[in-house]
Amino acid sequence: MRVLVHGSELAAATAAAALSWVGHRVIWIPHPGDPWSRLSRADWLNREPRLAMQLEDSRAHGNLSIVEADDLSEADGEGIDVLWLALSPEQRGDLAQPVATLVRRAARGLVLVNNSTFPVGETERLEACLGEGIVAVALPDLLEEGRAWETFTRPGRWLLGCDDAVSEARVRELLRAFNRRSDVFQRMPRRAAELTKLAINGMLATRLSYMNEIAGLADTLEVDVEHVRQGMGADSRIGYEYLYPGCGFGGPNFSRDLMRLADVQSASGRHSLLLDQVLDINEHKKETLFRKLWSHFRGRLEGRTVAIWGAAFKPGTARIDHAPVLVLLDALWAQGVRVRLHDPAAIPSLLSEVGDHPLLEVFDVDPYDACHGADALMLVTEWKEYWNPDWGRLAGLLRERLLLDGRNIYDPAWVAAQGLVYRGIGRRANPLTERISVVDAGTSAGEGP
């Protein structure tokens, strides 16, 4: 098939790479607000496994053409079978006029695949905008950042919002190469597919926020929340997914999908108190590590230095959209705390967001460099390289030997036995182990370098 992909989202880049990889002839037109000249240098694109490599390979083999929106004279709209639309909510509105003109020159029967996350009813609106002879289907973006190629080419499911058999057949043929193991399509009406995508992320966010509330209660009652999490997850009606408490969630898609769902609720006249609480709990949790630091030092924070491991909103990406670290940095700097931060991928994005701050030093090679002269270490993003540190070296670097684990990836008893003071999200070390570790700190962890 001949496919026109329009947009600058991760979904657009992944679709262009994957569809051209399996033999479709693809023209990719990035949005004018984020052209290819900028996208090609973006950290989030180049750090996605296989994605940038496949784009270049498809271009070399002639299956993919990347054309800037202001230079569509190079693009031929004749014979286009599918328009794949992947725009951000900020780019919502009518298609860029040159793209719309190109699409209208296409043969009748063109199918518009709306792979964007927009308000419910947007697919129908787009169909009306493009005029007679074009049918629009909803195929909500279900990609996982950091695993975009894998989730597109080996999907667990596609939510296909489709009202006729002809367009369903076109989409199935388009994605046939990725649907061989089993039928992963769930067909439903277009509005149902759009709402389902928002509802899924709303449910996941609710689970995360609820678990964070339980972690806070566990802290108050001196209960280790890990026992509670395992007990809840063992119940077949609940399961283990998204039951990990932490210092808040972020990300461009997850966060804005929740806002879209809130907008849909408000527009329908059914304001959601539950969704408001979910969002409020998450924003509150982004300050959790700061509050634990404040409590440990009894509010005397000015002049202290804190090391932070991780800035990206999740491991495997260079993005910091709505990331907890942004709230945490503001809180620390307001108290005059100097921050030494390490992240293997997100430093350029962080500096672009916060600028050259006098209380910030950044590192992207050795995470231990961030710990030199620090009073405490905050674990914010659970990159794999942080999971098994050299505990003796870490204890020797941290002046107050305080570890604040914002993702609960460490065993509290083990950390305490290495001579560090552990503070997690609802986690507790065995009191006896913690007392012994304080006595043995010098021998179990060593004096450090």
Side-chain angles (χ1 to χ4, degrees):
M1 290 188 186
R2 193 162 188 203
V3 183
L4 175 62
V5 176
H6 180 45
S8 298
E9 294 285 274
L10 175 60
T14 308
L19 294 175
S20 58
W21 176 55
V22 296
H24 296 297
R25 291 169 296 159
V26 178
I27 303 171
W28 179 18
I29 305 175
H31 189 271
D34 208 356
W36 175 245
S37 58
R38 183 186 308 161
L39 278 177
S40 61
R41 301 190 301 270
D43 283 338
W44 63 262
L45 177 63
N46 289 297
R47 286 187 175 272
E48 277 289 335
R50 186 165 176 174
L51 193 51
M53 178 190 70
Q54 187 58 56
L55 287 170
E56 290 306 313
D57 188 64
S58 291
R59 294 179 78 183
H61 284 83
N63 285 345
L64 173 64
S65 300
I66 302 177
V67 181
E68 301 288 20
D70 58 358
D71 195 18
L72 292 186
S73 58
E74 297 182 17
D76 178 14
E78 297 294 331
I80 293 175
D81 301 297
V82 174
L83 168 60
W84 186 286
L85 192 65
L87 298 171
S88 70
E90 294 75 25
Q91 297 161 351
R92 181 174 178 259
D94 292 339
L95 296 177
Q97 187 57 45
V99 175
T101 301
L102 194 66
V103 170
R104 290 190 182 103
R105 293 208 305 265
R108 289 177 61 86
L110 178 143
V111 172
L112 183 154
V113 176
N114 182 18
N115 192 223
S116 311
T117 298
F118 284 134
V120 176
E122 187 71 11
T123 303
E124 296 169 10
R125 189 192 71 81
L126 287 167
E127 182 178 277
C129 286
L130 289 175
E132 188 178 353
I134 295 177
V135 178
V137 303
L139 194 74
D141 170 17
L142 298 176
L143 295 183
E144 297 178 32
E145 193 145 357
R147 299 179 60 248
W149 179 265
E150 182 180 348
T151 49
F152 192 105
T153 60
R154 298 176 68 85
R157 69 192 184 287
W158 290 105
L159 297 175
L160 176 59
C162 179
D163 296 336
D164 68 279
V166 174
S167 54
E168 179 187 2
R170 179 76 60 87
V171 174
R172 283 181 171 275
E173 177 60 23
L174 177 71
L175 299 173
R176 178 169 49 83
F178 316 118
N179 192 42
R180 294 195 69 194
R181 290 182 301 163
S182 62
D183 189 354
V184 297
F185 284 98
Q186 292 180 270
R187 179 183 166 179
M188 58 188 71
R190 291 180 289 191
R191 291 191 175 209
E194 292 168 329
L195 181 56
T196 298
K197 166 63 190 304
L198 297 178
I200 287 171
N201 279 348
M203 174 60 78
L204 297 180
T206 300
R207 285 174 66 99
L208 285 170
S209 291
Y210 178 74
M211 201 63 209
N212 276 331
E213 283 288 271
I214 294 299
L217 180 60
D219 260 339
T220 301
L221 299 177
E222 299 185 355
V223 171
D224 187 346
V225 75
E226 180 63 10
H227 297 305
V228 181
R229 185 192 69 80
Q230 292 186 18
M232 292 174 63
D235 189 318
S236 60
R237 297 168 298 177
I238 298 175
Y240 291 99
E241 295 298 320
Y242 284 78
L243 284 187
Y244 293 91
C247 57
F249 57 78
N253 295 325
F254 202 54
S255 299
R256 75 187 179 201
D257 280 359
L258 295 180
M259 299 307 299
R260 298 286 80 74
L261 183 56
D263 291 344
V264 169
Q265 291 271 18
S266 297
S268 69
R270 299 176 60 88
H271 185 76
S272 173
L273 294 177
L274 173 61
L275 195 56
D276 285 347
Q277 286 293 309
V278 168
L279 293 169
D280 287 346
I281 290 168
N282 186 54
E283 290 306 305
H284 185 70
K285 278 296 173 182
K286 291 178 181 180
E287 297 180 349
T288 295
L289 295 184
F290 171 77
R291 290 193 298 271
K292 289 180 179 293
L293 184 75
W294 176 281
S295 176
H296 182 84
F297 291 116
R298 295 178 172 85
R300 295 189 291 272
L301 297 181
E302 187 172 2
R304 292 196 177 274
T305 300
V306 169
I308 293 179
W309 281 358
F313 78 88
K314 75 172 191 176
T317 181
R319 294 197 182 192
I320 60 165
D321 309 60
H322 308 286
V325 75
L326 298 175
V327 175
L328 184 58
L329 288 174
D330 284 341
L332 292 168
W333 291 338
Q335 297 298 317
V337 176
R338 182 173 296 279
V339 176
R340 296 170 61 84
L341 185 147
H342 177 273
D343 189 285
I347 295 301
S349 298
L350 181 69
L351 294 179
S352 177
E353 179 71 23
V354 304
D356 185 16
H357 198 283
L359 294 177
L360 176 66
E361 292 181 80
V362 295
F363 307 87
D364 59 6
V365 179
D366 187 349
Y368 297 98
D369 288 343
C371 299
H372 281 281
D375 296 293
L377 169 63
M378 294 179 171
L379 185 284
V380 177
T381 310
E382 66 276 30
W383 289 94
K384 290 301 183 186
E385 64 187 272
Y386 301 151
W387 279 69
N388 292 285
D390 182 335
W391 293 109
R393 184 180 181 189
L394 193 59
L397 289 172
L398 299 175
R399 290 187 297 209
E400 299 290 340
R401 297 194 174 191
L402 174 62
L403 172 60
L404 298 151
D405 182 1
R407 297 300 172 187
N408 287 356
I409 67 172
Y410 303 122
D411 184 305
W414 179 265
V415 175
Q418 311 311 305
L420 288 96
V421 179
Y422 178 89
R423 298 288 181 267
I425 311 297
R427 296 302 312 275
R428 301 188 70 80
N430 181 289
L432 178 60
T433 304
E434 193 165 35
R435 286 198 298 271
I436 293 173
S437 68
V438 172
V439 174
D440 293 342
T443 56
S444 64
E447 296 303 323

